[in-house]
Amino acid sequence: MSFLFPSFLWGLLAISVPIAVHIFNFRRTKRVYFTNVAFLKAVETQTKSIRQIKHWLVMAARILAIACLAFAFSQPFIPAESNVAVDRRGITSLYLDNSLSMESELNNKRYLDIATGRLGDLLGLFKNATSLQLVTNDFSAQEQGLYPAEKLRDRLTTIGLSGTPRTLEQVYKRQENLMARHSQSGKNQLFWFSDFQKSTVGDLSAIQTDSTNQIFLVPVQAEAEKNLFVDSAWLNTPFIRELQNNILFVKVSNSGNREARNVVLRLSLDNTQASTASVNVPANGSATAKFNFNLKGKGYKKGQITFDDFPVTFDNDYYFVLNASPLIRVLHVYGQKPEGNYIENVYANDSLFTLQSYSAQNVDPGLIRSSDLVVLEGVTQLSGTLPQDLQDFVRQGGSLAIIPPAAPAADSYGRFLSALGINGITSEKAQASLALAVPDRNNPFFSDVFEESMRQEMNLNLPNVLPVWSWASAGQQLLTLRNGQTYLNQVLAGTGKTYLFAAPLSQENGNVAQHAIFVPVMYKIAASSVRQQRTSFTFDENPISLTVGKPKPNSVYKLRRNKTEIIPVQRMAGNQLLLEIPQGDQTADGLTAGYFELVLDNKTEQIIALNHNHAESRLQYYSPEELRAAFSGKKNIQVFDRIDDDAFSTAFQQQNMGTNLWKFFLYAALFFLLAEIGLIRFMK
């Protein structure tokens, strides 16, 4: 038997009081005068031996009552069976995993409800403790203090699912930092109630625990049969036009070990069902659904993919946003102002394009990054940071069209173009102009550029060109001269494209800019330069990069949903707005999955869609055996098997807290006090 507070054993010295009272009779005789013996009451006689027995019994009852009270206050207990015992004098920190995966069910009960019940049973064992702490995935401010058990029991009824998964390393550091603020004597104990999902708990070997802290892992889990979720959605073309047929591809994944057959997916646009599709998703595999749709009207359209999949429902809705007929951002960078203004005449007079023109000496690198197409015209010498900015722009998905000057610097352009996959630049003006060859009608670039009648006329009337440079064959030839020399080709670099012309657009170098072929070719280059639309983002994607038009200095953007507004951490990089979505209690902040308006000065600039991370949808868990193997070298960590609700508190107390005996000593003290009263009153 051991004692939790052995200092109270000094109370046993109090037994000297009844001993002294009984050994030394402090009662003094009192003389009573009376006049007549007739008034004397008959006195019952008692033998000395009987009186001595009563005397010693009363003294023993008093001694035992005091001794039992002293033992009760020192809280004796039988030591626990396990070596990892709980020290109730330290801080007890409880972690309740309330991530979205805890929505799974076991015997028709949510994992979160099971974990809450077990935690409530554990609080019953610590009902007299005042140094308790409850941590959830929210990492909220109310979790930073120490509270009594009843306070935490009341809070358990208010905990809901959180969209922010936490790794066990983050949880441990959070608990450790909070406990350091409230240092107390005794060892601390940490409890983790979780499903221990493999995709979210992180690297278990990276958890560095303090050996003085006792850690108890309580798994709440079962094998996942199946769970479906939308992995991604994308368009067949990056450019969406209204009143035209468009195709949306949706990848659906299955994280369970059973095939999902005939899953019906529903596509809604602006809350109106637009199409349906059915797929069979193999176990631990994926399938792709195809939706045909068209849009009416320009601007942002709210899209949603929905399906039925129980019991895990948090990922049954996937939100995305489509921008119908968006403006194509064209940046015209020139060396000297061209006389014909051919580029401006093509793009400036069409509402489909937004055109900005700058000299190569004054262009802002931020404008390059935020453009879809950069037209570099007539720049003789590439200098400064312009070559590197253009190379980065192409590698990151932008399109660059290069129209040479009358006398280009071959060395400067040679180094620049070699980084984009174009080699062998030779600057030499041709002696005579040559006509363009007939475009290849099977080339996808010209698939929707010309009508049949125009194709026939082009065979008879094609423009002449006087090239100023040539290069080694690279990429895809779009237009050639009749001698086989390349006039316009397309080269891929990274995720972007480079279009290289062989001659300037001036009349001295040909009449391409005045020909009917020029406008559709430049339109096609611009349309092909539109980057793939980013249809949605995830909450944990920090930062989120959004392109904004003409940003104002010191602008503060807000995210609004319904009547809830938040101001995320933000910074501007050119025309790119970088937002950091706040982590934590997303439900309290209104940040559940759905659509959000990007607001500036109370005006909606864009609409974005935010979804939960796919990791929460992958329902694979660490088993108790796997957890023991992962923490096998750490003696201060104990892993429980899956325990039923009713058995958990009893099993935990026997293994780690021992058997409390203070109640029995308290009952014994009351018994001996009653025995003393009985002896005095009834033993004659």
Side-chain angles (χ1 to χ4, degrees), residues 594-609:
Y595 311 105
F596 294 82
E597 298 175 350
L598 182 68
V599 179
L600 177 63
D601 297 333
N602 209 29
K603 178 183 177 183
T604 300
E605 299 288 333
Q606 295 184 33
I607 298 177
I608 65 173

Side-chain angles (χ1 to χ4, degrees), residues 335-387:
Q336 293 182 353
K337 192 68 174 178
E339 296 180 358
N341 293 330
Y342 301 113
I343 299 300
E344 294 184 10
N345 292 337
V346 169
Y347 296 125
N349 297 322
D350 195 318
S351 60
L352 182 62
F353 307 103
T354 172
L355 175 68
Q356 299 183 79
S357 294
Y358 289 91
S359 169
Q361 304 300 323
N362 299 322
V363 64
D364 185 355
L367 294 175
I368 295 177
R369 289 191 295 268
S370 61
S371 298
D372 297 310
L373 171 64
V374 174
V375 180
L376 186 68
E377 181 183 13
V379 179
T380 304
Q381 184 80 25
L382 297 177
S383 59
T385 62
L386 182 60

Side-chain angles (χ1 to χ4, degrees), residues 112-227:
L112 180 63
D113 297 332
I114 296 175
T116 302
R118 293 181 179 179
L119 206 157
D121 294 339
L122 185 65
L123 289 176
L125 303 178
F126 290 94
K127 61 182 180 181
N128 296 323
T130 58
S131 300
L132 297 174
Q133 177 190 88
L134 179 60
V135 176
T136 65
N137 287 5
D138 301 331
F139 283 11
S140 60
Q142 60 180 328
E143 299 175 356
Q144 299 182 16
L146 299 180
Y147 304 96
E150 287 303 316
K151 183 76 172 181
L152 295 187
R153 193 188 295 272
D154 293 338
R155 186 171 169 239
L156 286 180
T157 60
T158 65
I159 294 177
L161 295 171
S162 171
T164 305
R166 306 287 185 181
T167 65
L168 292 182
E169 185 178 14
Q170 291 174 327
V171 171
Y172 179 75
K173 289 181 179 179
R174 174 74 172 181
Q175 291 178 298
E176 197 174 41
N177 291 337
L178 295 180
M179 289 187 299
R181 302 179 184 179
H182 310 279
S183 179
Q184 294 190 5
S185 61
K187 295 181 179 180
N188 300 324
Q189 41 269 341
L190 292 76
F191 294 83
W192 295 344
F193 290 80
S194 172
D195 57 2
F196 296 98
Q197 189 178 5
K198 291 183 177 180
S199 58
T200 58
V201 297
D203 185 7
L204 299 182
S205 62
I207 303 176
Q208 302 296 326
T209 61
D210 188 343
S211 58
T212 60
N213 293 331
Q214 308 298 336
I215 303 177
F216 302 91
L217 278 60
V218 187
V220 186
Q221 62 184 12
E223 292 186 4
E225 295 182 353
K226 68 177 179 65
N227 180 48

Side-chain angles (χ1 to χ4, degrees), residues 290-580:
K290 179 180 178 181
F291 295 93
N292 294 296
F293 68 97
N294 57 61
L295 298 176
K296 295 181 180 180
K298 297 181 180 181
Y300 292 98
K301 307 296 180 181
K302 298 178 181 179
Q304 184 177 2
I305 302 294
T306 59
F307 55 91
D308 297 325
D309 177 40
F310 297 97
V312 181
T313 60
F314 74 88
D315 52 6
N316 289 2
D317 297 278
Y318 183 84
Y319 302 92
F320 62 95
V321 174
L322 300 177
N323 189 5
S325 300
L327 292 176
I328 301 176
R329 297 159 296 183
V330 180
L331 176 64
H332 182 209
V333 180
Y334 55 84
Q336 293 182 353
K337 192 68 174 178
E339 296 180 358
N341 293 330
Y342 301 113
I343 299 300
E344 294 184 10
N345 292 337
V346 169
Y347 296 125
N349 297 322
D350 195 318
S351 60
L352 182 62
F353 307 103
T354 172
L355 175 68
Q356 299 183 79
S357 294
Y358 289 91
S359 169
Q361 304 300 323
N362 299 322
V363 64
D364 185 355
L367 294 175
I368 295 177
R369 289 191 295 268
S370 61
S371 298
D372 297 310
L373 171 64
V374 174
V375 180
L376 186 68
E377 181 183 13
V379 179
T380 304
Q381 184 80 25
L382 297 177
S383 59
T385 62
L386 182 60
Q388 187 62 49
D389 293 336
L390 292 175
Q391 290 171 2
D392 295 340
F393 167 72
V394 173
R395 293 191 185 98
Q396 295 173 5
S399 293
L400 172 65
I402 303 176
I403 302 173
D411 294 340
S412 175
Y413 273 99
R415 293 188 298 270
F416 169 68
L417 293 174
S418 63
L420 299 177
I422 303 174
N423 299 304
I425 285 289
T426 302
S427 178
E428 183 178 354
K429 190 172 183 178
Q431 298 297 323
S433 62
L434 296 172
L436 287 179
V438 178
D440 182 6
R441 298 183 181 185
N442 296 322
N443 192 325
F445 183 85
F446 298 104
S447 61
D448 54 355
V449 172
F450 305 112
E451 297 179 355
E452 289 297 327
S453 59
M454 182 175 290
R455 291 185 181 182
Q456 296 173 1
E457 293 176 2
M458 286 169 53
N459 292 331
L460 301 176
N461 183 20
L462 289 173
N464 293 324
V465 176
L466 187 65
V468 298
W469 63 8
S470 61
W471 58 89
S473 178
Q476 181 183 22
Q477 289 183 331
L478 301 180
L479 292 173
T480 61
L481 304 178
R482 289 190 176 179
N483 65 352
Q485 182 181 346
T486 302
Y487 172 73
L488 171 63
N489 76 335
Q490 178 193 82
V491 180
L492 302 180
T495 57
K497 305 171 185 176
T498 301
Y499 298 90
L500 186 60
F501 289 81
L505 300 179
S506 62
Q507 295 184 8
E508 292 80 3
N509 292 87
N511 60 342
V512 172
Q514 294 83 29
H515 194 271
I517 194 175
F518 179 67
V519 173
V521 166
M522 298 306 295
Y523 268 43
K524 185 65 177 182
I525 290 176
S528 301
S529 68
V530 177
R531 306 188 194 189
Q532 185 74 34
Q533 287 192 24
R534 186 67 189 273
T535 58
S536 66
F537 301 88
T538 57
F539 282 111
D540 61 342
E541 186 177 347
N542 282 326
I544 289 176
S545 179
L546 302 174
T547 301
V548 295
K550 299 180 180 180
K552 301 178 182 178
N554 302 321
S555 298
V556 178
Y557 289 86
K558 302 177 182 179
L559 286 179
R560 175 192 296 167
R561 184 177 185 185
N562 299 327
K563 296 182 179 180
T564 303
E565 286 187 350
I566 63 169
I567 302 178
V569 178
Q570 55 193 271
R571 60 187 176 89
M572 294 295 304
N575 283 22
Q576 297 297 307
L577 173 63
L578 305 178
L579 300 178
E580 295 186 12

Side-chain angles (χ1 to χ4, degrees), residues 567-681:
I567 302 178
V569 178
Q570 55 193 271
R571 60 187 176 89
M572 294 295 304
N575 283 22
Q576 297 297 307
L577 173 63
L578 305 178
L579 300 178
E580 295 186 12
I581 304 300
Q583 301 293 308
D585 189 355
Q586 296 176 345
T587 301
D589 293 333
L591 297 184
T592 54
Y595 311 105
F596 294 82
E597 298 175 350
L598 182 68
V599 179
L600 177 63
D601 297 333
N602 209 29
K603 178 183 177 183
T604 300
E605 299 288 333
Q606 295 184 33
I607 298 177
I608 65 173
L610 288 171
N611 294 287
H612 296 297
N613 191 299
H614 300 321
E616 282 287 326
S617 300
R618 304 185 185 279
L619 305 181
Q620 283 84 32
Y621 313 103
Y622 282 108
S623 65
E625 292 74 18
E626 291 174 325
L627 291 174
R628 290 191 185 95
F631 297 107
S632 59
K634 300 178 180 179
K635 297 182 180 180
N636 62 319
I637 298 179
Q638 179 180 345
V639 180
F640 281 88
D641 289 316
R642 216 171 58 225
I643 304 174
D644 295 336
D645 295 311
D646 297 336
F648 171 70
S649 59
T650 303
F652 178 82
Q653 183 178 20
Q654 292 177 352
Q655 294 182 30
N656 303 98
M657 301 182 69
T659 303
N660 291 321
L661 302 177
W662 65 271
K663 292 182 181 179
F664 301 104
F665 282 97
L666 183 60
Y667 295 150
L670 293 175
F671 171 78
F672 289 121
L673 289 176
L674 292 175
E676 176 193 353
I677 296 173
L679 288 171
I680 295 174
R681 183 169 183 178

